[in-house]
Amino acid sequence: MFPISKLRKAVLFSLYGAASLAAAPHVLAQTTDTAAKSGEIQTVSVVGSRRATSSTTDTVVPIDVIPMNKVAEQGGQFDLAQTLTYISPSFNSTRQTGADGADLVDSAALRGLGSDQTLVLVNGKRRHTSALVNLFGARNRGNTGTDMNAVPLLAIKDVQVLRDGAAAQYGSDAIAGVIDVGLKKSLGCESVAGYSQYSAGDGKNYMASAYCGVALGSGVVGITGEYLDRGRSNRAEPGNPRTIGDTKAKNKTVYLNGEFPTGSAGKLYFTAGVQTRDASSGAWARGTPEEDDRNIGPMYPNGFVPFINGDVDDRYAIVGFRSKIGEWNADLSQTYGYNRLKYNISNTLNASIANADILKGGKGISPSSFDAGGFSFQQSTTNFDINRYFDGLIGQGLNVAFGAEYRAEKYKIFSGERGSYIDADGVGVGGAAGSQGFPGFQPGDVTNAKRHSSAAYIDLEADLNAQAKLQGALRWEKFSDFGSTITGKLAGSYRVADAVLLRASVSSGFRAPSLQQKYFSSTFTDFISGVPTDVVLAPNGGAVAELAGIPKLKEEKSRSYTLGATWTPTQSTSVTADLYHIKIKDRIVLSGRFTADNYPDLAARLATLGVGQAQFFVNSVDTKTQGLDLTASHRGSFLDNKLTTFLALNVSKTEVKGIHAPPSLKGYEDVLLSERERLFIEQGGPRRKATLGFDYVTGKLETDFKIIHFGPQTLGTFSGTAAGVPNAHYEAKTSADLAFTYTINKTWKATFGGNNIFNVKPSPQNRDETDNGFKYDSVQFGLNGASYFARLYAKF
């Protein structure tokens, strides 16, 4: 049998080294099971039950290993982002409403940082980000994140959350940490059907998913198919024409994952996935023609709500080959990712077209739907990784890994049909230009940008003796559009007693500006002082940004420090606690809008280009994030039945420590980053989150009860405190989930339960000052209230 000590080294390497994270889920499962019997390695269930979450207590930096079998079979959430929100203490994802494209793609983040500061992997390989950059009203405003919901739950074996800066190991984006989604490739078949709805009677969800792993020759292929139909919810008060709640979405997803041995030491592996999503979100309501120049004529005499409809196409593929080169393990892989979002705006009009029709003697009619264009992002990554363990070298042994990466990226913006953006009447009276709800991308916004990057790294980990471990990593990365960077990491642990391990790390990190941030361009026509004028979100490096003196975007740079301890007095009791400190320099933010009112000189210069108002992406903010991750669990019995108790807690605080305006914007820092925008950065997520759970098994019945606490949040208002309007303070709230699972036989399980069963909702605010025009924003656990669900699971 392979020695436990070497298995442990393989686990530590595969979790934290850059060479073969793809093997980590398989190796970890073997190591955990074997070590639990031997007592050499302890694992602890921190969230969920039946080991629904495991956090290793023998690793040099904190990591959660979350097996997904239970949540896929019995969970009350039907997508990955919402599932992780209620499992991982440092993970946050809240569905938005009234935030344009951000309503269609849920953003997610670790430790209160931006969604683009967490690197997401699938089977250890970098996953592409969404083509969407969050803009209006989104918590992760100005960020581009990864669409976690593009992978069906039933396809996932486990999710590993590395809660530490890891850019030196995995490259750009890994400032807050790394999430690795490991897919199944086990034999056998299983299926699940689910239904849920809110207690208000809307937001009905229908889900059907099936997985089957089959042997093909000496290999195995797992295939997962899922259909998820999420209904629209609406919490608008009677008489309010708005649609405020969950978007309507239909997801169709297929994933393949498998491997085939090739000779005595080789293995060919592959992953392929595709998802199409048809989603629809309600925009802000438009008033009657008498009170709102965005409405005109007989089309909508009582006002209307435009719908922003998104057609999302997501594709992902990995093909790779692992083999031996002498005593070295080698891994060559190619990864491809593609994400496209096309907008179609319905129940709308272009008021200028209707007004032009009136001026010509017509009835004042405009088309009621428009193709508004959209954008796409493509990423292709080639990796070559080598590693070897040297027994007895530098103490008890040394793990050596090194490799290289080449990545190519493309970003496109395509324009909408002409009616989605034109100003047809040219007078601006009773006829706003563009499709209401979302103006289409103009020909001047069309973009076809690309870049490439190259990287090389070395990763070392040594068992200095039976008590001490030391890890170091160094990575060089060069981007074709802004240059090169070098990052490093040093981490170590020391077992001061059989039950107590101390661990610490220090690392530098970086995040390259995304192509979406560099090249996003949006233009719509507004009338300023009676003159039709372009309002522009200007791409970096373009004529408008150059005239405004906006410098070229560069990488964000970070320094991360962690200090923690694990305590495992028995195999059934364990505690982990980790402090972290993250400083980020030159964070990229989306500026406020510069106008003639807040910066007359700049507005005069912009007017020479026909631009009346403009905003930009710019490196201008330094932040500090400090926090604590705490987990504790106990596996025991109560009244001769199994009882698992667990606590997971994250406390985090982010502060903006400096605003560095470029020379052309000096003195206008309050426009560059207003108080409202600063609070989005500092308190986009709750400053603490905790889950206390109890899982009790009595014969065939399992009861799962969780108490989820969300800390307070303070968000800005449109008027601002300078105008005497206080910020929106959301008090801490606590909700509870309850579920009952009955094992019918070896094949069937039935689950019934509720989420937020006491119907807790955020603190009411002034709806004229909230981001979505409702009495509270979509914060903490969202704004929909209680929900109920049922699942039927079968395994063959």
Side-chain angles (χ1 to χ4, degrees):
M1 179 179 291
F2 195 61
I4 289 294
S5 61
K6 291 187 179 181
L7 275 173
R8 180 169 63 184
K9 294 178 179 70
V11 172
L12 293 173
F13 169 72
S14 61
L15 290 176
Y16 306 110
S20 62
L21 195 69
H26 177 66
V27 174
L28 182 67
Q30 289 181 342
T31 308
T32 302
D33 292 343
T34 306
K37 297 175 183 177
S38 68
E40 182 165 347
I41 300 177
Q42 299 292 328
T43 62
V44 55
S45 189
V46 293
V47 285
S49 61
R50 292 195 299 179
R51 302 179 58 81
T53 300
S54 295
S55 177
T56 57
T57 58
D58 197 41
T59 54
V60 294
V61 288
I63 184 168
D64 295 326
V65 182
I66 309 170
M68 298 299 288
N69 59 307
K70 181 181 176 180
V71 294
E73 298 169 13
Q74 305 169 213
Q77 306 293 342
F78 290 0
D79 60 54
L80 181 57
Q82 288 295 297
T83 295
L84 290 177
T85 294
Y86 292 93
I87 292 180
S88 179
S90 59
F91 181 94
N92 279 293
S93 178
T94 306
R95 290 176 182 165
Q96 300 298 297
T97 181
D100 289 359
D103 291 357
L104 312 178
V105 180
D106 294 347
S107 61
L110 288 174
R111 291 180 160 177
L113 293 177
S115 56
D116 52 9
Q117 290 161 338
T118 296
L119 175 62
V120 178
L121 312 173
V122 172
N123 286 345
K125 307 300 180 183
R126 177 181 286 265
R127 181 171 171 83
H128 59 285
T129 61
S130 167
L132 172 75
V133 58
N134 297 316
L135 297 174
F136 306 107
R139 298 286 82 79
N140 285 290
R141 178 174 155 90
N143 296 167
T144 296
T146 302
D147 187 354
M148 306 293 290
N149 296 336
V151 184
L153 284 176
L154 203 60
I156 304 172
K157 186 171 81 72
D158 59 31
V159 174
Q160 301 172 19
V161 182
L162 170 58
R163 295 180 274 113
D164 191 43
Q169 296 158 303
Y170 305 116
S172 177
D173 306 346
I175 289 177
V178 179
I179 298 174
D180 180 30
V181 180
L183 303 182
K184 295 176 183 174
K185 50 178 180 289
S186 55
L187 296 175
C189 297
E190 53 188 322
S191 63
V192 62
Y195 172 82
S196 71
Q197 71 171 55
Y198 293 111
S199 60
D202 57 8
K204 297 178 180 179
N205 286 251
Y206 301 89
M207 185 266 293
S209 187
Y211 167 85
C212 207
V214 297
L216 291 180
S218 56
V220 61
V221 177
I223 181 170
T224 307
E226 180 179 271
Y227 175 76
L228 177 60
D229 185 340
R230 186 175 80 193
R232 197 189 308 276
S233 65
N234 188 8
R235 295 294 167 268
E237 311 90 331
N240 186 339
R242 288 289 309 281
T243 300
I244 300 170
D246 287 353
T247 59
K248 179 181 179 181
K250 292 183 179 180
N251 296 358
K252 301 174 183 177
T253 315
V254 176
Y255 258 76
L256 292 172
N257 188 50
E259 62 182 22
F260 292 93
T262 57
S264 59
K267 185 173 292 184
L268 176 69
Y269 59 92
F270 60 90
T271 301
V274 60
Q275 181 184 87
T276 60
R277 179 183 307 162
D278 298 320
S280 175
S281 174
W284 282 74
R286 271 53 174 169
T288 65
E290 293 77 23
E291 63 186 10
D292 195 334
D293 68 357
R294 299 168 298 176
N295 187 9
I296 194 170
M299 291 184 65
Y300 306 106
N302 299 317
F304 65 101
V305 175
F307 287 98
I308 302 172
N309 308 307
D311 174 11
V312 181
D313 180 9
D314 191 273
R315 309 169 201 168
Y316 186 66
I318 306 168
V319 61
F321 181 71
R322 297 191 189 97
S323 188
K324 300 280 288 187
I325 302 177
E327 296 297 319
W328 294 84
N329 303 307
D331 184 350
L332 176 65
S333 66
Q334 179 66 46
T335 304
Y336 169 82
Y338 175 82
N339 183 270
R340 185 200 66 185
L341 174 55
K342 290 184 63 177
Y343 289 104
N344 180 276
I345 316 304
S346 63
N347 198 51
T348 186
L349 85 167
N350 181 326
S352 72
I353 292 178
N355 196 50
D357 187 41
I358 290 175
L359 295 176
K360 294 177 182 177
K363 296 181 178 180
I365 301 297
S366 159
S368 61
S369 65
F370 294 94
D371 174 359
F375 31 70
S376 66
F377 177 69
Q378 177 180 308
Q379 182 175 277
S380 179
T381 308
T382 305
N383 292 96
F384 182 59
D385 306 302
I386 295 178
N387 72 87
R388 180 181 175 183
Y389 178 73
F390 293 88
D391 199 1
L393 185 62
I394 306 183
Q396 293 185 341
L398 176 69
N399 214 7
V400 178
F402 60 92
E405 177 180 285
Y406 177 82
R407 187 163 73 250
E409 298 174 333
K410 297 180 181 179
Y411 176 63
K412 294 182 179 181
I413 298 177
F414 34 93
S415 65
E417 63 178 284
R418 188 169 180 270
S420 71
Y421 58 81
I422 63 167
D423 168 30
D425 60 18
V427 297
V429 178
S435 52
Q436 289 304 305
F438 190 97
F441 290 100
Q442 301 188 15
D445 298 321
V446 171
T447 298
N448 188 359
K450 60 182 66 177
R451 74 172 174 202
H452 61 269
S453 64
S454 302
Y457 71 88
I458 183 168
D459 190 304
L460 306 173
E461 183 170 343
D463 283 357
L464 301 179
N465 52 47
Q467 290 78 37
K469 299 178 185 297
L470 186 65
Q471 180 198 48
L474 193 67
R475 186 181 184 96
W476 168 86
E477 199 148 351
K478 182 178 182 180
F479 286 77
S480 60
D481 54 349
F482 71 83
S484 62
T485 185
I486 296 177
T487 53
K489 181 173 183 176
L490 184 65
S493 66
Y494 187 80
R495 186 164 292 282
V496 297
D498 289 344
V500 180
L501 178 81
L502 302 181
R503 58 192 182 190
S505 71
V506 57
S507 64
S508 61
F510 81 104
R511 188 190 72 81
S514 68
L515 289 181
Q516 293 90 319
Q517 290 175 320
K518 285 179 65 90
Y519 294 104
F520 183 83
S521 175
S522 177
T523 308
F524 67 92
T525 303
D526 198 2
F527 282 81
I528 300 174
S529 301
V531 179
T533 310
D534 283 345
V535 177
V536 177
L537 199 166
N540 191 251
V544 174
E546 292 284 348
L547 184 63
I550 304 300
K552 296 289 181 67
L553 290 181
K554 59 183 179 180
E555 77 273 26
E556 302 174 348
K557 295 182 178 180
S558 69
R559 291 287 186 274
S560 298
Y561 308 88
T562 66
L563 177 63
T566 71
W567 179 47
T568 53
T570 68
Q571 289 192 359
S572 60
T573 303
S574 185
V575 178
T576 71
D578 294 277
L579 295 166
Y580 57 90
H581 180 101
I582 305 169
K583 287 186 175 181
I584 306 176
K585 183 180 179 181
D586 297 325
R587 280 184 70 164
I588 298 171
V589 299
L590 177 61
S591 76
R593 188 179 295 176
F594 289 89
T595 71
D597 292 331
N598 58 39
Y599 196 168
D601 291 343
L602 177 58
R605 279 181 278 143
L606 294 175
T608 63
L609 297 178
V611 174
Q613 301 177 4
Q615 58 187 145
F616 318 90
F617 284 99
V618 58
N619 294 89
S620 61
V621 172
D622 297 343
T623 63
K624 179 178 73 175
T625 299
Q626 298 181 102
L628 166 70
D629 289 322
L630 174 69
T631 69
S633 78
H634 176 73
R635 299 188 305 275
S637 62
F638 179 72
L639 298 177
D640 295 326
N641 295 300
K642 290 189 292 185
L643 173 66
T644 298
T645 307
F646 64 89
L647 171 69
L649 168 70
N650 171 259
V651 179
S652 182
K653 182 179 181 181
T654 295
E655 298 176 281
V656 171
K657 304 302 292 184
I659 303 174
H660 308 294
S664 62
L665 303 182
K666 288 290 186 182
Y668 296 91
E669 285 81 1
D670 59 335
V671 182
L672 179 64
L673 188 76
S674 67
E675 181 182 36
R676 179 171 173 267
E677 301 304 326
R678 175 181 60 79
L679 286 169
F680 276 157
I681 294 174
E682 294 184 337
Q683 301 197 43
R687 285 191 161 178
R688 66 176 181 265
K689 189 176 73 171
T691 300
L692 176 63
F694 305 91
D695 189 84
Y696 190 58
V697 180
T698 56
K700 293 186 175 183
L701 180 65
E702 179 179 357
T703 303
D704 190 354
F705 179 63
K706 291 192 290 290
I707 300 170
I708 306 101
H709 174 80
F710 293 85
Q713 285 179 258
T714 298
L715 297 178
T717 60
F718 288 102
S719 299
T721 54
V725 178
N727 289 320
H729 179 70
Y730 291 91
E731 298 175 356
K733 296 285 184 174
T734 301
S735 67
D737 298 347
L738 178 64
F740 302 96
T741 299
Y742 185 76
T743 302
I744 301 170
N745 52 41
K746 293 182 179 180
T747 300
W748 297 94
K749 288 182 183 178
T751 302
F752 304 89
N755 300 315
N756 190 9
I757 58 177
F758 298 117
N759 201 31
V760 181
K761 296 179 180 178
S763 305
Q765 310 293 332
N766 179 353
R767 63 174 53 88
D768 294 329
E769 298 291 346
T770 61
D771 210 37
N772 59 15
F774 187 50
K775 60 184 177 182
Y776 37 74
D777 278 308
S778 184
V779 298
Q780 297 166 325
F781 38 76
L783 51 76
N784 285 290
S787 66
Y788 306 99
F789 73 95
R791 282 179 181 260
L792 184 63
Y793 171 80
K795 186 170 185 178
F796 305 94

